Amino acid sequence: MNFEKNILCIGAGYVGGPTMAIIAYKCPQYRVTVVDMNSERIAEWNSDDLPVYEPGLDKIVKTVRGRNLFFNTEIEQGIKEAEIIFVSVNTPTKTFGAGAGLAADLQYWEKTARQICQCAQSPKIIVEKSTLPVRTALAMERILTSNDNGIRFDVLSNPEFLAEGTAINDLENPDRVLIGSRQTESGLKARDELVEIYANWVPIERIITSDTWSSELSKLAANAFLAQRISSINSISALCEKTDANITDVANAVGTDSRVGNRFLNVSVGFGGSCFEKDILNLVYLCQNYALHEVADYWASVVKINEYQKNRFVLNMITAMFNTLVGKKICLFGFAFKANTGDTRESPAIFIAKRLIEEKAELVVTDPKALKNARIDLNGIDSNVSYMEDPYEAAVGCHAIAILTEWDLYRNLEFEKIYRSMIKPAFIFDGRNILDHKKLFQIGFNVFPIGKPALTHF
Ligand code: NAD
Ligand code: UGA
């Protein structure tokens, strides 16, 4: 079959896989290929057990795989054949050398740029999908034009705003699609080609355009603003606990001001995920580089409050359980960084599990989707950790339960049954405030919500 366009995506991760699946699904007239250097991951994309758990993803992949969506490891071949190349490789925080612990590690991204430069035999549009420091497109352009082979490359910035767990809905009905380009004739032409792809399913007024640097910076700023809301509400939760105020009422009162809005104000044990912390640290590093120290400190405090919140949660557990956790059995309800994903990258559960292990507690981890990753995260330190899928079984013989992920499943459990199977006094630390605290207290639990008075029988 003759396709209108050949689209390639380099990087078959949480962004590359779902994003390309949606493009293939919405645009049967395009051939979409996703490549990765990780052959195991590609094999999983070609199997019944996809490497990414996302509600709705399986069905879409099954519909389009082999029709106009293909996964393989033939990167060079893919580059040669494609007119449009999305780059969706990982850009983690650098762990070595200059900027270690703050700057984005651009080695995967640069490797891709050089590979495109070496293999390309015809003009290409290169789309930055990964989250990158502002002005990275300039470096991409410089690498691509270094070969002097006369091939034209246009580099666009098209950051991804999907959130895990809701990726399919976010991709099908995005608040906006952002495309940044050079304001030159060929830059604008390339931009229009990308607009045309999204216009297959996204209303045109939601496709917004800008210059390249604004687009790159908007992505970092958007994540920083979102994370800042969580740190804001979490910081107020600490004050609530000291003053007997109730964080749910405060969040509601603040959020009903339409200028603030009520979404994304859920108090928690701290935010996790592969991006918030990494992108804020990247922003901090950029500001430091431009000697904007006050701006850097402002954003760094969002991460600092997040660390504080995670640590505070553990300290509250220790204090509540008579200042020692040695030999106590604690059940972690949830290990994923949020509900509806198996992803545990930077999950607050990792930090909390490690701290509880340091306190010589015994842990039982339960999660409907993330146990495989939890085992990897705690590998080497888990001699006193067991993993169980069934939350009822996991709680048996435990002194305490800590709710770390807001899975719906935990809201409707039979807590009378769980209480009966636990050691007394039994504790619940609700790190997501998703349970009915009064009811748990009536059952007999000592209940420690976040940002609300504890309900104890002592
Ligand atoms: P990921 O680690 O899940 O996937 C990246 C993939 O790229 C990996 O499979 C890796 O093997 C592959 N890769 C790396 N270098 C390669 C190379 N040179 N050639 C071929 N393949 C290569 O990462 P992700 O979560 O999909 O994130 C990708 C980017 O998107 C990051 O910049 C991230 O900040 C951004 N982002 C992520 C999300 C999210 O929800 N995860 C949302 C928006 C933006
Ligand atoms: C986030 C952004 O929401 C996406 O727009 C962005 O594309 C993505 O980062 C990215 O760049 O990777 P994601 O991390 O997948 O998406 O999930 P979120 O829903 O933002 O949750 C992040 C963390 O914040 C989770 O640990 C979640 O539990 C926590 N959270 C979220 C709260 O503690 N309170 C809230 O009110 C909302």
Side-chain angles (χ1 to χ4, degrees):
M1 173 171 172
N2 271 344
F3 290 100
E4 267 178 38
K5 282 186 208 299
N6 277 306
I7 296 175
L8 178 74
C9 176
I10 304 179
Y14 285 85
V15 170
T19 312
M20 292 303 123
I22 289 291
I23 294 183
Y25 183 66
K26 299 288 182 184
C27 315
Q29 71 277 30
Y30 306 151
R31 181 188 164 92
V32 182
T33 307
V34 187
V35 291
D36 203 293
M37 60 184 185
N38 180 340
S39 52
E40 235 173 81
R41 214 167 206 192
I42 289 297
E44 285 172 340
W45 279 112
N46 283 320
S47 76
D48 283 340
D49 191 13
L50 302 184
V52 169
Y53 170 71
E54 269 302 329
L57 178 64
D58 265 39
K59 197 173 140 237
I60 287 177
V61 170
K62 279 187 187 138
T63 311
V64 290
R65 199 172 51 192
R67 180 188 85 179
N68 66 329
L69 178 67
F70 304 90
F71 294 94
N72 66 56
T73 50
E74 307 297 319
I75 303 177
E76 295 188 1
Q77 183 68 19
I79 293 171
K80 284 190 187 123
E81 289 173 1
E83 294 101 40
I84 300 187
I85 302 176
F86 288 82
V87 180
S88 183
V89 299
N90 40 328
T91 51
T93 303
K94 212 174 158 197
T95 53
F96 55 89
L102 287 180
D105 183 346
L106 297 175
Q107 60 170 309
Y108 308 101
W109 169 89
E110 174 159 350
K111 188 167 174 249
T112 312
R114 288 183 186 277
Q115 211 170 5
I116 295 172
C117 179
Q118 275 161 17
C119 305
Q121 294 168 346
S122 54
K124 318 255 172 228
I125 296 174
I126 312 299
V127 184
E128 291 179 346
K129 228 344 152 194
S130 302
T131 304
L132 295 159
V134 56
R135 297 190 78 79
T136 300
L138 188 61
M140 175 70 102
E141 284 171 357
R142 285 183 177 155
I143 293 172
L144 291 173
T145 50
S146 63
N147 224 354
D148 211 18
N149 53 10
I151 295 175
R152 164 124 231 109
F153 293 102
D154 286 289
V155 181
L156 301 174
S157 161
N158 171 221
E160 184 48 61
F161 295 106
L162 70 80
E164 288 178 32
T166 53
I168 297 303
N169 185 47
D170 295 343
L171 289 164
E172 286 196 292
N173 309 295
D175 285 348
R176 79 303 207 188
V177 167
L178 174 60
I179 303 173
S181 67
R182 288 246 180 223
Q183 303 299 297
T184 57
E185 196 185 331
S186 75
L188 295 173
K189 194 162 161 267
R191 178 197 74 185
D192 291 345
E193 259 199 62
L194 188 54
V195 169
E196 192 189 309
I197 293 177
Y198 283 107
N200 280 286
W201 77 96
V202 180
I204 201 76
E205 65 278 6
R206 292 205 193 159
I207 305 176
I208 55 180
T209 59
S210 72
D211 65 83
T212 318
W213 320 138
S214 305
S215 170
E216 289 177 328
L217 183 54
S218 299
K219 173 63 196 176
L220 294 182
N223 272 0
F225 273 56
L226 288 168
Q228 181 212 43
R229 279 176 80 87
I230 303 168
S231 280
S232 297
I233 203 71
N234 283 346
S235 73
I236 297 296
S237 75
L239 188 55
C240 285
E241 284 166 33
K242 297 285 181 205
T243 57
D244 282 351
N246 182 321
I247 195 66
T248 306
D249 293 337
V250 176
N252 183 43
V254 173
T256 42
D257 184 327
S258 58
R259 292 170 300 177
V260 176
N262 59 9
R263 293 178 64 194
F264 234 72
L265 283 180
N266 295 322
V267 71
S268 67
V269 62
F271 60 73
S274 63
C275 293
F276 275 175
E277 182 174 313
K278 142 179 110 61
D279 292 346
I280 295 174
L281 295 176
N282 187 346
L283 187 64
V284 168
Y285 184 69
L286 280 169
C287 295
Q288 285 176 353
N289 257 330
Y290 290 110
L292 300 172
H293 299 296
E294 287 77 3
V295 186
D297 292 348
Y298 174 71
W299 288 110
S301 71
V302 171
V303 174
K304 207 168 151 194
I305 288 288
N306 200 47
E307 298 299 316
Y308 166 76
Q309 187 75 351
K310 289 187 280 188
N311 202 36
R312 213 167 69 73
F313 187 77
V314 176
L315 294 178
N316 280 348
M317 286 179 81
I318 299 172
T319 313
M321 294 175 75
F322 318 118
N323 293 308
T324 175
L325 300 181
V326 179
K328 287 185 180 158
K329 206 169 161 190
I330 299 175
C331 186
L332 306 186
F333 270 31
F335 209 84
F337 81 97
K338 64 183 285 195
N340 300 318
T341 176
D343 194 353
T344 59
R345 290 178 294 175
E346 302 301 327
S347 175
I350 301 175
F351 173 91
I352 287 160
K354 286 185 176 166
R355 287 283 287 104
L356 295 176
I357 290 168
E358 273 168 23
E359 294 293 334
K360 302 191 190 302
E362 200 183 314
L363 300 187
V364 187
V365 179
T366 179
D367 189 291
K369 292 286 173 197
L371 287 189
K372 190 172 152 199
N373 282 330
R375 281 175 202 274
I376 297 169
D377 295 328
L378 300 180
N379 184 26
I381 54 164
D382 63 352
S383 55
N384 264 333
V385 182
S386 45
Y387 303 88
M388 286 183 196
E389 209 158 295
D390 181 346
Y392 292 103
E393 273 176 44
V396 173
C398 286
H399 295 77
I401 292 172
I403 309 281
L404 301 186
T405 311
E406 72 283 20
W407 286 103
D408 266 347
L409 150 80
Y410 301 146
R411 296 175 202 263
N412 306 313
L413 292 174
E414 232 185 281
F415 278 98
E416 289 87 352
K417 182 173 157 189
I418 290 177
Y419 179 73
R420 283 197 299 275
S421 76
M422 289 176 66
I423 307 262
K424 312 296 177 320
F427 294 82
I428 285 200
F429 300 90
D430 187 353
R432 297 285 182 170
N433 278 3
I434 53 169
L435 301 181
D436 182 340
H437 300 138
K438 271 196 193 124
K439 190 171 161 212
L440 292 172
F441 174 70
Q442 280 157 8
I443 292 172
F445 283 105
N446 296 294
V447 188
F448 290 81
I450 296 207
K452 296 181 188 202
L455 301 171
T456 68
H457 297 281
F458 309 122

